[in-house]
Amino acid sequence: MGRYEFIPGVAIADLAFEVHAESLNELFSLSAQALFDAMVELQDVRPEHEVRISLTAEKLDNLLFDWLAELVYQKDLDAQLFSRFEVSIDENRNCKLEATVRGEPIDPARHQLKTDVKAITYHMFKLEKKENGYYARVVLDT
Amino acid sequence: MKMKISEVEPGVWEIPPTEKPGMRVPARIIATKELINTMDEGVFNQVTNVACLPGIVKYALCMPDGHWGYGFPIGGVAAFDLKEGVISPGGIGFDINCGMRLVRTNLVLQQVEPILEKLMDTLFELVPAGVGCKGLLKLNKKEFAEVVEEGIPWALRRGYGWPEDVNFIEQGGGLPGANPEKVSEKALSRGMEQLGTLGSGNHYLEVQVVKEENVFDWETAKKFGIDRPNQIVVMIHCGSRGFGHQVATDYLRVFEKAMPKYGITVIDRELGCAPFSSPEGKDYHAAMLCAANAAFVNRQMIIHRIREGFEKVFKKSAWELGMHTVYDVAHNIAKVEEYETNGHPKRLLVHRKGATRSFGPGDPELCPVYREIGQPVIVGGSMETGSYLLVGTKKAHEMTFGSTLHGSGRTMSRTQAKKKIHGRQLQEDMRKRGILVKTVSYTGLAEEAGLAYKDIAAVVDAVHQIGISRKVVRLKPIGNIKG
């Protein structure tokens, strides 16, 4: 089972997290969870509304950057938060991502909001294949 | 890695180019001995990375509020040759033209204190804040493109503010060269419903008081309309919201692909850049100016709502309440400005990331009212410790490419701050100390606790002592809306 955690000593003004996962699909899904965990108590976000996302990128780490950046964009576009992420990655040739994400519009009365994420940064950005799976580190501009 | 750093003149510390392979110029940090000793290592690493960028002129700088950011340190200033130099989103920040606006009133504490709660409730209702907040204007992409191309004149034409406001906004709040055609559809659609919103993080709206003992220079203060003890002022800190963030995200990816074409390699991917004279560089500059204009309009819309809020509570017009703009400054931007280089005036591209323009007396950029005294410099502190109004100086023009600090600067990460203090407790403690805080997020509030920041008096003293701006007034918070 994979996991993510926020790491305190990496970015002072911003938020950083790292993810350990057994598969790429899990790595991308957990990274998305960490992203929204920075913004809201995830258990309060009902997976009622569905958005499909398709992306391609020249490299796997760019695909992770674009995936998280796309979610930040979707959050602002319709003022909605997401809590469920089904991700399918195809590494062949151009890296390809197909995902279905589920969430609901922001409701300040019911959602315990935290800090807004403005953007994904390249600062200390990392995606690595390890012996037992994958590792990623992301610094969020907040 | 510990780097060699020495005080080359009082308050100016230098890391020589021999300390890191690739440094083209020295790195300079403006700080007192106490501040330099407590500065995080990330600052030294990042400011020396900036010193490696192509076309950098004289030195890479960091202000005393400097702390570890991404790409440039926050508090970073660097000027680039227009032909040989680069433009970098990492030297501006994702929140393009994040900045400060200060508005004065003719009210005094005794008039506001009894109805502060009602005032803060009204402002909290009128100014949307927090994650995903939406503004009250429904614009389509075409209309929003007009806003970002024009800036403040658009807002004033629509009646959001007073015609005189334009005189008290950096460069009139309408930066020439903004071209919405260089902005993605995504950026336009992300930003078009966010005008007039505070956002989140360290963004805030604050009602403050001028205590007599906190006025350092009455003569200059009066020129800025601060003319009586216990006067009430309003400060806002926010930027271009999702629009600017998307512009920066888009161009970071564009630059990453473009760099090999121009033979540029950078130490940190976040310093992705392109020659300012290249098509990619020009496009980003035109898009960045759109985001800067959007931020000026965003602050203008918020001030418009604040004036409405005061009118509602005090049953007088904002004009009668004397709610004039003192000034509006950008602290995340890159601008073409003229400085003396090798004995000749030269136009340079000055990046300021978490740094404020600090133009001194006589500068033709300043509106006639302030031309003889210098530009107001608004320094936002933490919501517990207060803020400052300073004035720009000629020395800043000579030493720091017309720049000074922008805030107090963090010392503790958001994650650490949340572990140290709880938002509700902090709110209660602050109420007891006479600061009424309203927030949509208690964890967000904890992250902004005063204990997470440097001592603002110490960082302001550092720029005052070296003379790159002068202290005018310290402003004490009494009511805060945290984004």
Side-chain angles (χ1 to χ4, degrees), chain A residues 58-89:
Chain A
E58 58 278 25
K59 289 190 297 181
L60 207 49
D61 61 348
N62 284 338
L63 188 66
L64 179 64
F65 181 96
D66 290 350
W67 157 242
L68 296 173
E70 178 66 23
L71 290 170
V72 170
Y73 166 71
Q74 291 287 341
K75 175 262 303 176
D76 272 354
L77 185 66
D78 291 320
Q80 55 187 339
L81 297 162
F82 303 102
S83 57
R84 300 275 199 286
F85 310 91
E86 283 167 32
V87 190
S88 172
I89 311 281

PDB file of all heavy atoms in Angstrom, chain A residues 58-89:
ATOM      1  N   GLU A  58       5.763  14.435 -22.724  1.00  0.00           N
ATOM      2  CA  GLU A  58       6.979  13.854 -23.296  1.00  0.00           C
ATOM      3  C   GLU A  58       7.723  12.950 -22.302  1.00  0.00           C
ATOM      4  O   GLU A  58       8.428  12.031 -22.705  1.00  0.00           O
ATOM      5  CB  GLU A  58       7.899  14.959 -23.840  1.00  0.00           C
ATOM      6  CG  GLU A  58       8.352  16.027 -22.863  1.00  0.00           C
ATOM      7  CD  GLU A  58       7.373  17.161 -22.619  1.00  0.00           C
ATOM      8  OE1 GLU A  58       6.157  16.984 -22.803  1.00  0.00           O
ATOM      9  OE2 GLU A  58       7.845  18.218 -22.209  1.00  0.00           O
ATOM     10  N   LYS A  59       7.553  13.231 -21.018  1.00  0.00           N
ATOM     11  CA  LYS A  59       8.234  12.430 -19.994  1.00  0.00           C
ATOM     12  C   LYS A  59       7.261  12.166 -18.849  1.00  0.00           C
ATOM     13  O   LYS A  59       6.321  12.933 -18.644  1.00  0.00           O
ATOM     14  CB  LYS A  59       9.437  13.201 -19.413  1.00  0.00           C
ATOM     15  CG  LYS A  59      10.606  13.344 -20.355  1.00  0.00           C
ATOM     16  CD  LYS A  59      11.832  13.897 -19.640  1.00  0.00           C
ATOM     17  CE  LYS A  59      11.591  15.298 -19.094  1.00  0.00           C
ATOM     18  NZ  LYS A  59      12.714  15.907 -18.424  1.00  0.00           N
ATOM     19  N   LEU A  60       7.579  11.127 -18.089  1.00  0.00           N
ATOM     20  CA  LEU A  60       6.697  10.738 -16.988  1.00  0.00           C
ATOM     21  C   LEU A  60       6.572  11.831 -15.923  1.00  0.00           C
ATOM     22  O   LEU A  60       5.482  12.090 -15.403  1.00  0.00           O
ATOM     23  CB  LEU A  60       7.253   9.456 -16.366  1.00  0.00           C
ATOM     24  CG  LEU A  60       6.263   8.536 -15.669  1.00  0.00           C
ATOM     25  CD1 LEU A  60       5.037   8.243 -16.502  1.00  0.00           C
ATOM     26  CD2 LEU A  60       6.969   7.242 -15.282  1.00  0.00           C
ATOM     27  N   ASP A  61       7.709  12.477 -15.587  1.00  0.00           N
ATOM     28  CA  ASP A  61       7.614  13.494 -14.533  1.00  0.00           C
ATOM     29  C   ASP A  61       6.817  14.711 -15.014  1.00  0.00           C
ATOM     30  O   ASP A  61       6.073  15.318 -14.251  1.00  0.00           O
ATOM     31  CB  ASP A  61       8.986  13.884 -13.950  1.00  0.00           C
ATOM     32  CG  ASP A  61       9.924  14.483 -14.962  1.00  0.00           C
ATOM     33  OD1 ASP A  61       9.630  14.416 -16.170  1.00  0.00           O
ATOM     34  OD2 ASP A  61      10.974  15.014 -14.540  1.00  0.00           O
ATOM     35  N   ASN A  62       6.946  15.027 -16.311  1.00  0.00           N
ATOM     36  CA  ASN A  62       6.128  16.120 -16.842  1.00  0.00           C
ATOM     37  C   ASN A  62       4.648  15.751 -16.818  1.00  0.00           C
ATOM     38  O   ASN A  62       3.782  16.617 -16.631  1.00  0.00           O
ATOM     39  CB  ASN A  62       6.535  16.465 -18.271  1.00  0.00           C
ATOM     40  CG  ASN A  62       7.842  17.253 -18.304  1.00  0.00           C
ATOM     41  OD1 ASN A  62       8.218  17.865 -17.309  1.00  0.00           O
ATOM     42  ND2 ASN A  62       8.530  17.203 -19.412  1.00  0.00           N
ATOM     43  N   LEU A  63       4.375  14.465 -17.006  1.00  0.00           N
ATOM     44  CA  LEU A  63       2.975  14.017 -16.963  1.00  0.00           C
ATOM     45  C   LEU A  63       2.407  14.220 -15.553  1.00  0.00           C
ATOM     46  O   LEU A  63       1.262  14.656 -15.397  1.00  0.00           O
ATOM     47  CB  LEU A  63       2.880  12.537 -17.375  1.00  0.00           C
ATOM     48  CG  LEU A  63       1.458  12.003 -17.567  1.00  0.00           C
ATOM     49  CD1 LEU A  63       0.762  12.670 -18.757  1.00  0.00           C
ATOM     50  CD2 LEU A  63       1.478  10.483 -17.786  1.00  0.00           C
ATOM     51  N   LEU A  64       3.216  13.942 -14.528  1.00  0.00           N
ATOM     52  CA  LEU A  64       2.760  14.153 -13.149  1.00  0.00           C
ATOM     53  C   LEU A  64       2.520  15.644 -12.899  1.00  0.00           C
ATOM     54  O   LEU A  64       1.506  16.041 -12.303  1.00  0.00           O
ATOM     55  CB  LEU A  64       3.794  13.611 -12.153  1.00  0.00           C
ATOM     56  CG  LEU A  64       3.451  13.798 -10.672  1.00  0.00           C
ATOM     57  CD1 LEU A  64       2.198  13.028 -10.283  1.00  0.00           C
ATOM     58  CD2 LEU A  64       4.617  13.385  -9.776  1.00  0.00           C
ATOM     59  N   PHE A  65       3.457  16.481 -13.379  1.00  0.00           N
ATOM     60  CA  PHE A  65       3.305  17.941 -13.233  1.00  0.00           C
ATOM     61  C   PHE A  65       2.002  18.395 -13.898  1.00  0.00           C
ATOM     62  O   PHE A  65       1.193  19.110 -13.303  1.00  0.00           O
ATOM     63  CB  PHE A  65       4.519  18.645 -13.867  1.00  0.00           C
ATOM     64  CG  PHE A  65       4.493  20.146 -13.749  1.00  0.00           C
ATOM     65  CD1 PHE A  65       5.174  20.797 -12.726  1.00  0.00           C
ATOM     66  CD2 PHE A  65       3.786  20.925 -14.666  1.00  0.00           C
ATOM     67  CE1 PHE A  65       5.162  22.177 -12.616  1.00  0.00           C
ATOM     68  CE2 PHE A  65       3.756  22.309 -14.559  1.00  0.00           C
ATOM     69  CZ  PHE A  65       4.454  22.940 -13.532  1.00  0.00           C
ATOM     70  N   ASP A  66       1.805  17.953 -15.153  1.00  0.00           N
ATOM     71  CA  ASP A  66       0.624  18.387 -15.912  1.00  0.00           C
ATOM     72  C   ASP A  66      -0.673  17.884 -15.268  1.00  0.00           C
ATOM     73  O   ASP A  66      -1.690  18.570 -15.281  1.00  0.00           O
ATOM     74  CB  ASP A  66       0.704  17.899 -17.368  1.00  0.00           C
ATOM     75  CG  ASP A  66       1.792  18.620 -18.153  1.00  0.00           C
ATOM     76  OD1 ASP A  66       2.341  19.618 -17.639  1.00  0.00           O
ATOM     77  OD2 ASP A  66       2.116  18.177 -19.280  1.00  0.00           O
ATOM     78  N   TRP A  67      -0.621  16.666 -14.735  1.00  0.00           N
ATOM     79  CA  TRP A  67      -1.795  16.075 -14.078  1.00  0.00           C
ATOM     80  C   TRP A  67      -2.208  16.910 -12.869  1.00  0.00           C
ATOM     81  O   TRP A  67      -3.369  17.295 -12.731  1.00  0.00           O
ATOM     82  CB  TRP A  67      -1.450  14.637 -13.694  1.00  0.00           C
ATOM     83  CG  TRP A  67      -2.199  13.957 -12.594  1.00  0.00           C
ATOM     84  CD1 TRP A  67      -1.672  13.500 -11.429  1.00  0.00           C
ATOM     85  CD2 TRP A  67      -3.593  13.587 -12.571  1.00  0.00           C
ATOM     86  NE1 TRP A  67      -2.638  12.885 -10.678  1.00  0.00           N
ATOM     87  CE2 TRP A  67      -3.835  12.921 -11.349  1.00  0.00           C
ATOM     88  CE3 TRP A  67      -4.651  13.769 -13.451  1.00  0.00           C
ATOM     89  CZ2 TRP A  67      -5.088  12.442 -10.992  1.00  0.00           C
ATOM     90  CZ3 TRP A  67      -5.902  13.282 -13.095  1.00  0.00           C
ATOM     91  CH2 TRP A  67      -6.116  12.624 -11.881  1.00  0.00           C
ATOM     92  N   LEU A  68      -1.253  17.246 -12.032  1.00  0.00           N
ATOM     93  CA  LEU A  68      -1.575  18.027 -10.838  1.00  0.00           C
ATOM     94  C   LEU A  68      -1.979  19.457 -11.221  1.00  0.00           C
ATOM     95  O   LEU A  68      -2.921  20.022 -10.649  1.00  0.00           O
ATOM     96  CB  LEU A  68      -0.395  18.025  -9.866  1.00  0.00           C
ATOM     97  CG  LEU A  68      -0.037  16.642  -9.298  1.00  0.00           C
ATOM     98  CD1 LEU A  68       1.251  16.715  -8.481  1.00  0.00           C
ATOM     99  CD2 LEU A  68      -1.170  16.073  -8.442  1.00  0.00           C
ATOM    100  N   ALA A  69      -1.293  20.007 -12.219  1.00  0.00           N
ATOM    101  CA  ALA A  69      -1.642  21.362 -12.678  1.00  0.00           C
ATOM    102  C   ALA A  69      -3.061  21.374 -13.258  1.00  0.00           C
ATOM    103  O   ALA A  69      -3.812  22.335 -13.061  1.00  0.00           O
ATOM    104  CB  ALA A  69      -0.638  21.854 -13.721  1.00  0.00           C
ATOM    105  N   GLU A  70      -3.428  20.299 -13.958  1.00  0.00           N
ATOM    106  CA  GLU A  70      -4.778  20.215 -14.524  1.00  0.00           C
ATOM    107  C   GLU A  70      -5.836  20.183 -13.405  1.00  0.00           C
ATOM    108  O   GLU A  70      -6.896  20.809 -13.518  1.00  0.00           O
ATOM    109  CB  GLU A  70      -4.890  18.955 -15.400  1.00  0.00           C
ATOM    110  CG  GLU A  70      -6.260  18.717 -16.016  1.00  0.00           C
ATOM    111  CD  GLU A  70      -6.663  19.770 -17.047  1.00  0.00           C
ATOM    112  OE1 GLU A  70      -5.755  20.428 -17.610  1.00  0.00           O
ATOM    113  OE2 GLU A  70      -7.879  19.937 -17.269  1.00  0.00           O
ATOM    114  N   LEU A  71      -5.528  19.470 -12.337  1.00  0.00           N
ATOM    115  CA  LEU A  71      -6.478  19.390 -11.221  1.00  0.00           C
ATOM    116  C   LEU A  71      -6.639  20.752 -10.527  1.00  0.00           C
ATOM    117  O   LEU A  71      -7.742  21.133 -10.130  1.00  0.00           O
ATOM    118  CB  LEU A  71      -6.020  18.328 -10.213  1.00  0.00           C
ATOM    119  CG  LEU A  71      -6.132  16.883 -10.710  1.00  0.00           C
ATOM    120  CD1 LEU A  71      -5.427  15.939  -9.748  1.00  0.00           C
ATOM    121  CD2 LEU A  71      -7.592  16.469 -10.880  1.00  0.00           C
ATOM    122  N   VAL A  72      -5.535  21.489 -10.415  1.00  0.00           N
ATOM    123  CA  VAL A  72      -5.602  22.833  -9.835  1.00  0.00           C
ATOM    124  C   VAL A  72      -6.479  23.726 -10.729  1.00  0.00           C
ATOM    125  O   VAL A  72      -7.333  24.490 -10.256  1.00  0.00           O
ATOM    126  CB  VAL A  72      -4.189  23.442  -9.668  1.00  0.00           C
ATOM    127  CG1 VAL A  72      -4.267  24.919  -9.288  1.00  0.00           C
ATOM    128  CG2 VAL A  72      -3.403  22.681  -8.610  1.00  0.00           C
ATOM    129  N   TYR A  73      -6.282  23.577 -12.041  1.00  0.00           N
ATOM    130  CA  TYR A  73      -7.094  24.336 -13.005  1.00  0.00           C
ATOM    131  C   TYR A  73      -8.578  23.984 -12.870  1.00  0.00           C
ATOM    132  O   TYR A  73      -9.435  24.864 -12.799  1.00  0.00           O
ATOM    133  CB  TYR A  73      -6.581  24.030 -14.423  1.00  0.00           C
ATOM    134  CG  TYR A  73      -7.525  24.460 -15.513  1.00  0.00           C
ATOM    135  CD1 TYR A  73      -7.724  25.809 -15.804  1.00  0.00           C
ATOM    136  CD2 TYR A  73      -8.229  23.511 -16.266  1.00  0.00           C
ATOM    137  CE1 TYR A  73      -8.593  26.197 -16.807  1.00  0.00           C
ATOM    138  CE2 TYR A  73      -9.095  23.893 -17.261  1.00  0.00           C
ATOM    139  CZ  TYR A  73      -9.283  25.241 -17.526  1.00  0.00           C
ATOM    140  OH  TYR A  73     -10.153  25.625 -18.516  1.00  0.00           O
ATOM    141  N   GLN A  74      -8.880  22.690 -12.797  1.00  0.00           N
ATOM    142  CA  GLN A  74     -10.278  22.242 -12.688  1.00  0.00           C
ATOM    143  C   GLN A  74     -10.912  22.765 -11.396  1.00  0.00           C
ATOM    144  O   GLN A  74     -12.091  23.100 -11.363  1.00  0.00           O
ATOM    145  CB  GLN A  74     -10.358  20.706 -12.707  1.00  0.00           C
ATOM    146  CG  GLN A  74     -10.004  20.077 -14.049  1.00  0.00           C
ATOM    147  CD  GLN A  74     -11.084  20.279 -15.105  1.00  0.00           C
ATOM    148  OE1 GLN A  74     -12.226  20.578 -14.799  1.00  0.00           O
ATOM    149  NE2 GLN A  74     -10.709  20.137 -16.371  1.00  0.00           N
ATOM    150  N   LYS A  75     -10.106  22.805 -10.336  1.00  0.00           N
ATOM    151  CA  LYS A  75     -10.595  23.320  -9.042  1.00  0.00           C
ATOM    152  C   LYS A  75     -11.084  24.765  -9.176  1.00  0.00           C
ATOM    153  O   LYS A  75     -12.153  25.131  -8.702  1.00  0.00           O
ATOM    154  CB  LYS A  75      -9.455  23.205  -8.011  1.00  0.00           C
ATOM    155  CG  LYS A  75      -9.704  23.779  -6.646  1.00  0.00           C
ATOM    156  CD  LYS A  75      -9.143  25.162  -6.437  1.00  0.00           C
ATOM    157  CE  LYS A  75      -7.670  25.322  -6.671  1.00  0.00           C
ATOM    158  NZ  LYS A  75      -7.178  26.695  -6.548  1.00  0.00           N
ATOM    159  N   ASP A  76     -10.298  25.593  -9.865  1.00  0.00           N
ATOM    160  CA  ASP A  76     -10.675  27.002 -10.025  1.00  0.00           C
ATOM    161  C   ASP A  76     -11.771  27.198 -11.062  1.00  0.00           C
ATOM    162  O   ASP A  76     -12.598  28.095 -10.937  1.00  0.00           O
ATOM    163  CB  ASP A  76      -9.454  27.838 -10.452  1.00  0.00           C
ATOM    164  CG  ASP A  76      -8.663  28.352  -9.255  1.00  0.00           C
ATOM    165  OD1 ASP A  76      -9.133  28.159  -8.113  1.00  0.00           O
ATOM    166  OD2 ASP A  76      -7.588  28.928  -9.461  1.00  0.00           O
ATOM    167  N   LEU A  77     -11.749  26.374 -12.101  1.00  0.00           N
ATOM    168  CA  LEU A  77     -12.664  26.561 -13.228  1.00  0.00           C
ATOM    169  C   LEU A  77     -14.118  26.556 -12.764  1.00  0.00           C
ATOM    170  O   LEU A  77     -14.885  27.443 -13.095  1.00  0.00           O
ATOM    171  CB  LEU A  77     -12.434  25.451 -14.270  1.00  0.00           C
ATOM    172  CG  LEU A  77     -13.232  25.585 -15.553  1.00  0.00           C
ATOM    173  CD1 LEU A  77     -12.804  26.814 -16.344  1.00  0.00           C
ATOM    174  CD2 LEU A  77     -13.067  24.331 -16.410  1.00  0.00           C
ATOM    175  N   ASP A  78     -14.485  25.542 -12.000  1.00  0.00           N
ATOM    176  CA  ASP A  78     -15.878  25.442 -11.548  1.00  0.00           C
ATOM    177  C   ASP A  78     -15.990  25.458 -10.035  1.00  0.00           C
ATOM    178  O   ASP A  78     -16.985  24.991  -9.487  1.00  0.00           O
ATOM    179  CB  ASP A  78     -16.515  24.156 -12.094  1.00  0.00           C
ATOM    180  CG  ASP A  78     -16.708  24.240 -13.603  1.00  0.00           C
ATOM    181  OD1 ASP A  78     -17.096  25.325 -14.060  1.00  0.00           O
ATOM    182  OD2 ASP A  78     -16.438  23.258 -14.300  1.00  0.00           O
ATOM    183  N   ALA A  79     -14.967  25.963  -9.351  1.00  0.00           N
ATOM    184  CA  ALA A  79     -14.947  26.018  -7.881  1.00  0.00           C
ATOM    185  C   ALA A  79     -15.371  24.685  -7.289  1.00  0.00           C
ATOM    186  O   ALA A  79     -16.348  24.589  -6.540  1.00  0.00           O
ATOM    187  CB  ALA A  79     -15.823  27.148  -7.361  1.00  0.00           C
ATOM    188  N   GLN A  80     -14.644  23.627  -7.657  1.00  0.00           N
ATOM    189  CA  GLN A  80     -14.989  22.319  -7.102  1.00  0.00           C
ATOM    190  C   GLN A  80     -13.750  21.605  -6.552  1.00  0.00           C
ATOM    191  O   GLN A  80     -12.617  21.900  -6.928  1.00  0.00           O
ATOM    192  CB  GLN A  80     -15.705  21.447  -8.127  1.00  0.00           C
ATOM    193  CG  GLN A  80     -14.961  21.251  -9.415  1.00  0.00           C
ATOM    194  CD  GLN A  80     -15.821  20.516 -10.431  1.00  0.00           C
ATOM    195  OE1 GLN A  80     -16.779  19.833 -10.071  1.00  0.00           O
ATOM    196  NE2 GLN A  80     -15.475  20.652 -11.692  1.00  0.00           N
ATOM    197  N   LEU A  81     -14.014  20.698  -5.641  1.00  0.00           N
ATOM    198  CA  LEU A  81     -12.952  19.917  -5.009  1.00  0.00           C
ATOM    199  C   LEU A  81     -13.151  18.453  -5.364  1.00  0.00           C
ATOM    200  O   LEU A  81     -14.282  18.011  -5.577  1.00  0.00           O
ATOM    201  CB  LEU A  81     -13.024  20.093  -3.492  1.00  0.00           C
ATOM    202  CG  LEU A  81     -12.784  21.515  -3.003  1.00  0.00           C
ATOM    203  CD1 LEU A  81     -13.296  21.700  -1.586  1.00  0.00           C
ATOM    204  CD2 LEU A  81     -11.300  21.872  -3.083  1.00  0.00           C
ATOM    205  N   PHE A  82     -12.073  17.704  -5.396  1.00  0.00           N
ATOM    206  CA  PHE A  82     -12.151  16.285  -5.764  1.00  0.00           C
ATOM    207  C   PHE A  82     -11.570  15.421  -4.651  1.00  0.00           C
ATOM    208  O   PHE A  82     -10.647  15.827  -3.954  1.00  0.00           O
ATOM    209  CB  PHE A  82     -11.379  16.029  -7.063  1.00  0.00           C
ATOM    210  CG  PHE A  82     -11.869  16.870  -8.206  1.00  0.00           C
ATOM    211  CD1 PHE A  82     -11.162  17.994  -8.607  1.00  0.00           C
ATOM    212  CD2 PHE A  82     -13.051  16.555  -8.859  1.00  0.00           C
ATOM    213  CE1 PHE A  82     -11.624  18.782  -9.647  1.00  0.00           C
ATOM    214  CE2 PHE A  82     -13.524  17.346  -9.903  1.00  0.00           C
ATOM    215  CZ  PHE A  82     -12.806  18.464 -10.299  1.00  0.00           C
ATOM    216  N   SER A  83     -12.123  14.210  -4.526  1.00  0.00           N
ATOM    217  CA  SER A  83     -11.628  13.305  -3.489  1.00  0.00           C
ATOM    218  C   SER A  83     -11.388  11.879  -3.978  1.00  0.00           C
ATOM    219  O   SER A  83     -10.833  11.064  -3.257  1.00  0.00           O
ATOM    220  CB  SER A  83     -12.609  13.287  -2.305  1.00  0.00           C
ATOM    221  OG  SER A  83     -13.887  12.903  -2.746  1.00  0.00           O
ATOM    222  N   ARG A  84     -11.840  11.546  -5.163  1.00  0.00           N
ATOM    223  CA  ARG A  84     -11.634  10.195  -5.714  1.00  0.00           C
ATOM    224  C   ARG A  84     -10.953  10.304  -7.075  1.00  0.00           C
ATOM    225  O   ARG A  84     -11.384  11.091  -7.911  1.00  0.00           O
ATOM    226  CB  ARG A  84     -12.966   9.473  -5.908  1.00  0.00           C
ATOM    227  CG  ARG A  84     -13.766   9.292  -4.644  1.00  0.00           C
ATOM    228  CD  ARG A  84     -13.337   8.028  -3.883  1.00  0.00           C
ATOM    229  NE  ARG A  84     -14.367   7.632  -2.947  1.00  0.00           N
ATOM    230  CZ  ARG A  84     -14.637   8.259  -1.801  1.00  0.00           C
ATOM    231  NH1 ARG A  84     -13.941   9.329  -1.464  1.00  0.00           N
ATOM    232  NH2 ARG A  84     -15.587   7.827  -0.999  1.00  0.00           N
ATOM    233  N   PHE A  85      -9.919   9.490  -7.237  1.00  0.00           N
ATOM    234  CA  PHE A  85      -9.112   9.602  -8.454  1.00  0.00           C
ATOM    235  C   PHE A  85      -8.825   8.211  -9.019  1.00  0.00           C
ATOM    236  O   PHE A  85      -8.143   7.415  -8.371  1.00  0.00           O
ATOM    237  CB  PHE A  85      -7.790  10.314  -8.143  1.00  0.00           C
ATOM    238  CG  PHE A  85      -7.982  11.597  -7.382  1.00  0.00           C
ATOM    239  CD1 PHE A  85      -7.971  11.616  -5.988  1.00  0.00           C
ATOM    240  CD2 PHE A  85      -8.200  12.787  -8.052  1.00  0.00           C
ATOM    241  CE1 PHE A  85      -8.175  12.783  -5.284  1.00  0.00           C
ATOM    242  CE2 PHE A  85      -8.401  13.973  -7.348  1.00  0.00           C
ATOM    243  CZ  PHE A  85      -8.388  13.978  -5.953  1.00  0.00           C
ATOM    244  N   GLU A  86      -9.378   7.912 -10.175  1.00  0.00           N
ATOM    245  CA  GLU A  86      -9.038   6.649 -10.854  1.00  0.00           C
ATOM    246  C   GLU A  86      -8.132   7.032 -12.012  1.00  0.00           C
ATOM    247  O   GLU A  86      -8.551   7.765 -12.915  1.00  0.00           O
ATOM    248  CB  GLU A  86     -10.305   5.991 -11.394  1.00  0.00           C
ATOM    249  CG  GLU A  86     -11.122   5.290 -10.333  1.00  0.00           C
ATOM    250  CD  GLU A  86     -12.496   4.932 -10.872  1.00  0.00           C
ATOM    251  OE1 GLU A  86     -12.625   4.660 -12.085  1.00  0.00           O
ATOM    252  OE2 GLU A  86     -13.428   4.952 -10.065  1.00  0.00           O
ATOM    253  N   VAL A  87      -6.910   6.514 -11.966  1.00  0.00           N
ATOM    254  CA  VAL A  87      -5.921   6.952 -12.949  1.00  0.00           C
ATOM    255  C   VAL A  87      -5.355   5.753 -13.689  1.00  0.00           C
ATOM    256  O   VAL A  87      -5.074   4.710 -13.078  1.00  0.00           O
ATOM    257  CB  VAL A  87      -4.748   7.692 -12.259  1.00  0.00           C
ATOM    258  CG1 VAL A  87      -3.854   8.362 -13.282  1.00  0.00           C
ATOM    259  CG2 VAL A  87      -5.258   8.714 -11.261  1.00  0.00           C
ATOM    260  N   SER A  88      -5.201   5.906 -14.978  1.00  0.00           N
ATOM    261  CA  SER A  88      -4.567   4.853 -15.772  1.00  0.00           C
ATOM    262  C   SER A  88      -3.456   5.476 -16.613  1.00  0.00           C
ATOM    263  O   SER A  88      -3.694   6.403 -17.398  1.00  0.00           O
ATOM    264  CB  SER A  88      -5.635   4.207 -16.657  1.00  0.00           C
ATOM    265  OG  SER A  88      -5.018   3.329 -17.535  1.00  0.00           O
ATOM    266  N   ILE A  89      -2.233   4.993 -16.405  1.00  0.00           N
ATOM    267  CA  ILE A  89      -1.064   5.568 -17.099  1.00  0.00           C
ATOM    268  C   ILE A  89      -0.539   4.565 -18.113  1.00  0.00           C
ATOM    269  O   ILE A  89      -0.373   3.380 -17.807  1.00  0.00           O
ATOM    270  CB  ILE A  89       0.098   5.858 -16.113  1.00  0.00           C
ATOM    271  CG1 ILE A  89      -0.386   6.623 -14.889  1.00  0.00           C
ATOM    272  CG2 ILE A  89       1.269   6.538 -16.807  1.00  0.00           C
ATOM    273  CD1 ILE A  89      -0.601   8.061 -15.053  1.00  0.00           C
TER     274      ILE A  89
END
